[in-house]
């Protein structure tokens, strides 16, 4: 009997606007390719996890809500160089690795977080056939001699200076490029240079495999302590930076006919290696982990619908991991498409696009955040009413909007209003105008922000940031509301009586007011006609 393969979901973590998370796409794409070869269904998304899948998470060092693991089965793929001389990651990330299922690309990292290295699958990044192209330019005809890409520091700068002193120009980007935009330059280079950012100097196979798979040679430093998978031994041009081998290579061998011949042999050798067995082990590991996660979740009683306490109005680039992300546009890939500016009937059960169900109830939300949303909403008073209903007593509504007197106020053609200091009066002081009675908002924070979203003076404001808190109205405020609102708000008082009392009362009414005589009915009818005239 064969075990059915679980659905796999790959999540790439990206803080809002952080371009360097795109550097994780090469590895995510490679893992997707290998698992699909094994017959698994694999999806990929940014910052989004699925409840109905095994999640493989890249970039958790950039931030990951720890409690997210309760509802989502997660394997964290570590690509950071850890340990002595490695990356300075947060203690929160190290704790996450120590207490989670982890996969890694280098055995040297594992001892920094795992008690038993055998518990961590090691996955190499080798040849990627999907990167091959029939239009590959011959090496000798490529216009770029040597390309370097990546973050710069003093260590790398010194390495590059030695190469350029040997007579070879090193091309670099003046701004970050990733994906196909970066790959276009790799395909135009006679070689890509690889040198480590960290003193640990571990071989960066997660970067090198991409270049070799596209048919571009890689020239890499290799210290005596550095280790690399055997597949790279004959595929990479290795240079020990300790001696004069670097200067000799670039001044005498690089870009010669002999170099081009050797490069083709090395590229061919790299294509011979297939890591499919390693990824089969990852899939087997994932099956067992997913089963265990389901049992633990069932035992903890956390198998029902999710009841979020934080809502983010917006999605797309503003998606907030661990929050309920709502948007009116499906292309923003929110957890749920829901318009809080439309009538809302609570409690509400929703199907998440990422598996599982979500329950929303009145008075259940602690924080609701709206970043550049309110200026788009056609019926803002209805949205504010829905928000007030959703929030707990004391819950916060955190708002950022363009400031009325700034150019940002009307630059978007979808804006329907501009906001200023008086835009909040109805929700705070004149709440009765909106039909509110028992609750209103109070302002607990207000500030001006510049174009970089830093606090500034009113004169330099591009945006406003306002924090409103849900509070109960006072007796005096409710009295004012009764005075100003059309609704008298009288309770429906129950009148207890039995059938006999009802009958006696009807009889007494008939005796006190007997039926009208014929002449009286005629007179009454004439009076009604006269009034009508």
């Amino acid at each position: 009997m064969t075990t059915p393969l679980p659905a796999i979901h790959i999540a790439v973590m990206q803080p809002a606007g952080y371009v360097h998370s795109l550097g994780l796409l090469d590895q995510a794409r490679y893992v997707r390719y290998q698992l699909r070869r094994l017959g698994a269904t694999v999806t990929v998304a940014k910052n989004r996890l699925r409840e109905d899948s095994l999640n493989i998470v890249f970039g958790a060092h950039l931030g990951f809500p720890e409690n997210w693991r309760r509802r989502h089965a997660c394997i964290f793929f570590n690509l950071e160089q850890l340990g002595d001389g490695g990356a300075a990651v947060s203690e929160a990330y190290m704790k996450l690795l120590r207490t989670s299922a982890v996969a890694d690309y280098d055995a040297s990292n594992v001892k920094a977080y795992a008690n038993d290295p055998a518990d961590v699958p090691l996955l190499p990044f080798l040849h990627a056939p999907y990167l091959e192209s029939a239009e590959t330019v011959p090496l000798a005809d490529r216009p770029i001699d040597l390309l370097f890409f990546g973050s710069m520091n003093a260590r790398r700068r010194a390495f590059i200076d030695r190469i350029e002193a040997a007579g070879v120009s090193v091309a670099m980007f003046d701004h970050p490029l990733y994906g196909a935009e970066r790959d276009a330059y790799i395909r135009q280079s006679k070689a890509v240079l690889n040198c480590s950012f960290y003193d640990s100097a571990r071989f960066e196979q997660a970067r090198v495999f991409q270049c070799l798979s596209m048919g571009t040679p890689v020239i890499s430093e290799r210290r005596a302590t550095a280790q690399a998978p055997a597949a790279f031994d004959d595929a990479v041009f290795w240079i020990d930076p300790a001696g004069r081998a670097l200067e000799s290579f670039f001044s005498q061998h690089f870009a010669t006919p002999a170099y081009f011949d050797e490069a083709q042999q090395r590229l061919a050798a790299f294509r011979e290696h297939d890591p499919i067995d390693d990824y089969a082990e990852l899939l087997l590991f994932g099956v067992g982990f997913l089963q265990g996660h389901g049992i633990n979740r069932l035992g903890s009683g956390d198998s029902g619908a999710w009841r979020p306490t934080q809502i983010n109005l917006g999605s797309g680039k503003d998606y907030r991991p661990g929050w309920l992300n709502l948007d009116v546009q499906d292309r923003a890939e929110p957890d749920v498409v829901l318009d809080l500016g439309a009538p809302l009937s609570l409690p509400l059960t929703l199907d998440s696009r990422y598996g599982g169900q979500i329950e929303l109830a009145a008075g259940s939300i602690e924080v609701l955040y709206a970043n550049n949303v309110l200026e788009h909403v056609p019926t803002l008073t209805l949205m504010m009413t829905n928000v007030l209903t959703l929030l707990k007593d004391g819950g916060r509504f955190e708002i950022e909007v363009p400031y009325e007197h700034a150019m940002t106020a009307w630059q978007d053609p979808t804006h329907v209003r501009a906001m200023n200091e008086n835009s909040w009066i109805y929700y705070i002081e004149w709440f009765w105008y909106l039909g509110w009675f028992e609750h209103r908002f109070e302002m607990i924070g207000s500030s001006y922000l510049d174009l970089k979203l830093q606090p500034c003076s009113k004169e330099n404001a591009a945006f406003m940031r306002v924090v409103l808190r849900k509070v109960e109205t006072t007796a005096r405020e409710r009295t004012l509301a009764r005075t100003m609102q059309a609704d008298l708000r009288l309770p429906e008082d129950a009148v207890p009586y039995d059938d006999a009392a009802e009958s006696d009362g009807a009889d007494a009414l008939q005796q006190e007011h007997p039926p009208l005589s014929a002449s009286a009915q005629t007179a009454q009818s004439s009076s009604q006609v006269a009034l009508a005239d």
Side-chain angles (χ1 to χ4, degrees):
M1 177 178 175
T2 58
T3 302
L5 296 179
I8 307 293
H9 181 70
I10 297 175
V12 177
M13 304 306 297
Q14 182 191 48
Y18 186 69
V19 66
H20 298 297
S21 286
L22 298 180
L24 301 169
L25 298 183
D26 301 334
Q27 298 81 40
R29 184 181 178 187
Y30 188 80
V31 172
R32 180 184 67 175
Y33 172 78
Q34 297 297 347
L35 295 181
R36 282 179 173 175
R37 289 178 66 195
L38 292 165
T41 299
V42 188
T43 56
V44 180
K46 182 194 298 182
N47 289 330
R48 294 143 171 88
L49 299 187
R50 294 195 64 94
E51 287 193 48
D52 55 3
S53 302
L54 172 66
N55 296 273
I56 299 178
V57 182
F58 287 87
H61 65 287
L62 300 171
F64 187 90
E66 184 177 355
N67 60 4
W68 225 5
R69 295 179 299 174
R70 290 203 300 267
R71 292 186 300 109
H72 304 89
C74 297
I75 296 176
F76 297 94
F77 205 123
N78 174 61
L79 293 174
E80 295 299 294
Q81 294 190 28
L82 303 177
D84 294 338
V89 299
S90 67
E91 179 56 32
Y93 179 60
M94 295 305 300
K95 180 182 177 181
L96 187 72
L97 297 184
R98 294 188 194 107
T99 58
S100 304
V102 183
D104 212 308
Y105 76 103
D106 195 309
S108 301
N109 295 325
V110 176
K111 60 184 179 182
Y113 58 82
N115 293 325
D116 186 355
D119 291 338
V120 180
L122 293 177
L123 288 309
F125 295 95
L126 303 181
H127 181 59
Y130 53 83
L131 292 173
E132 295 179 346
S133 173
E135 300 178 358
T136 300
V137 178
L139 292 176
D141 297 337
R142 298 186 182 184
I144 301 173
D145 285 336
L146 189 60
L147 177 65
F148 172 81
F149 56 90
S151 301
M152 185 60 68
N153 64 356
R155 187 176 186 280
R156 282 176 164 173
R157 182 72 263 178
F159 194 81
I160 291 171
D161 286 346
R162 288 178 61 186
I163 295 171
E164 293 192 320
V168 176
S169 176
V170 180
M172 291 176 280
F173 300 133
D174 56 6
H175 53 271
L177 288 180
Y178 296 100
E181 291 72 30
R182 176 210 57 205
D183 291 350
Y185 290 94
I186 294 175
R187 296 181 187 276
Q188 294 296 313
S189 302
K190 295 180 176 69
V192 167
L193 177 66
N194 179 64
C195 54
S196 182
F197 185 89
Y198 300 106
D199 290 337
S200 56
R202 292 183 192 134
F203 178 59
E204 295 169 315
Q205 58 169 295
R207 165 200 304 258
V208 171
F209 88 95
Q210 184 85 359
C211 303
L212 295 176
S213 297
M214 286 189 285
T216 298
V218 173
I219 302 168
S220 178
E221 68 166 332
R222 188 172 198 176
R223 294 187 175 186
T225 56
Q227 297 181 349
F232 292 94
D233 285 340
D234 298 328
V236 173
F237 287 94
W238 297 104
I239 296 177
D240 185 347
R244 299 296 297 174
L246 182 148
E247 286 77 8
S248 175
F249 178 87
F250 283 104
S251 62
Q252 300 177 25
H253 185 58
F254 179 72
T256 64
Y259 163 80
F260 294 131
D261 289 343
E262 184 180 354
Q264 293 296 347
Q265 295 173 18
R266 292 184 180 276
L267 292 170
F270 187 64
R271 290 192 289 268
E272 296 301 315
H273 298 274
D274 188 347
I276 194 64
D277 290 342
D278 297 299
Y279 283 87
E281 289 293 327
L282 171 66
L283 197 54
L284 184 62
F285 174 80
V287 169
F289 174 75
L290 186 60
Q291 292 173 345
H293 180 271
I295 294 172
N296 291 335
R297 184 177 175 185
L298 184 63
S300 67
D302 191 26
S303 58
W306 177 37
R307 300 174 180 85
T309 59
Q310 298 170 306
I311 292 178
N312 175 40
L313 292 186
S315 194
K317 66 179 180 62
D318 299 316
Y319 189 94
R320 290 196 162 196
W323 294 48
L324 172 59
N325 294 266
L326 304 178
D327 207 295
V328 297
Q329 298 182 15
D330 185 70
R331 62 181 174 82
E333 298 186 10
D335 300 318
V336 175
V337 174
L338 183 66
D339 184 4
L340 290 189
L344 190 65
S345 179
L346 297 173
L348 189 61
T349 300
L350 305 165
D351 291 324
S352 170
R353 73 187 294 144
Y354 300 109
Q357 288 189 321
I358 299 166
E359 288 185 0
L360 280 182
S364 64
I365 303 301
E366 297 173 357
V367 182
L368 199 147
Y369 178 66
N371 182 359
N372 287 277
V373 172
L374 271 57
E375 65 272 23
H376 301 275
V377 179
T379 53
L380 184 55
T381 55
L382 180 54
M383 169 177 279
M384 296 297 289
T385 300
N386 286 335
V387 170
L388 190 71
T389 302
L390 283 167
L391 286 173
K392 296 180 177 179
D393 285 4
R396 303 189 314 278
F397 189 17
E398 300 177 354
I399 302 164
E400 290 181 17
V401 290
Y403 183 52
E404 179 184 47
H405 301 297
M407 297 297 290
T408 50
W410 298 107
Q411 66 182 7
D412 188 331
T414 64
H415 286 185
V416 297
R417 68 178 56 81
M419 315 292 281
N420 59 30
E421 295 83 357
N422 291 329
S423 299
W424 321 105
I425 291 178
Y426 276 80
Y427 315 115
I428 297 170
E429 299 178 17
W430 299 348
F431 63 92
W432 48 265
Y433 234 125
L434 307 177
W436 300 355
F437 186 74
E438 295 179 344
H439 293 89
R440 65 174 178 86
F441 283 115
E442 69 172 357
M443 184 177 291
I444 61 173
S446 177
S447 60
Y448 300 103
L449 306 175
D450 61 20
L451 287 171
K452 296 182 179 179
L453 301 181
Q454 297 301 310
C456 67
S457 64
K458 179 178 178 179
E459 293 74 21
N460 297 318
F463 300 93
M464 290 184 68
R465 187 173 195 275
V466 173
V467 182
L468 305 178
R469 178 166 56 199
K470 178 179 178 178
V471 295
E472 288 187 7
T473 53
T474 64
R476 180 179 181 182
E477 289 169 340
R478 290 192 293 276
T479 300
L480 174 64
R482 289 184 192 276
T483 304
M484 303 303 293
Q485 291 175 352
D487 186 356
L488 293 174
R489 295 187 180 275
L490 290 178
E492 292 295 334
D493 301 314
V495 179
Y497 57 89
D498 54 28
D499 293 338
E502 181 179 2
S503 176
D504 292 344
D507 292 343
L509 183 62
Q510 289 293 330
Q511 293 172 7
E512 184 175 350
H513 300 284
L516 294 176
S517 63
S519 59
Q521 291 179 5
T522 301
Q524 185 184 60
S525 177
S526 300
S527 174
Q528 291 174 346
V529 171
L531 287 174
D533 292 341

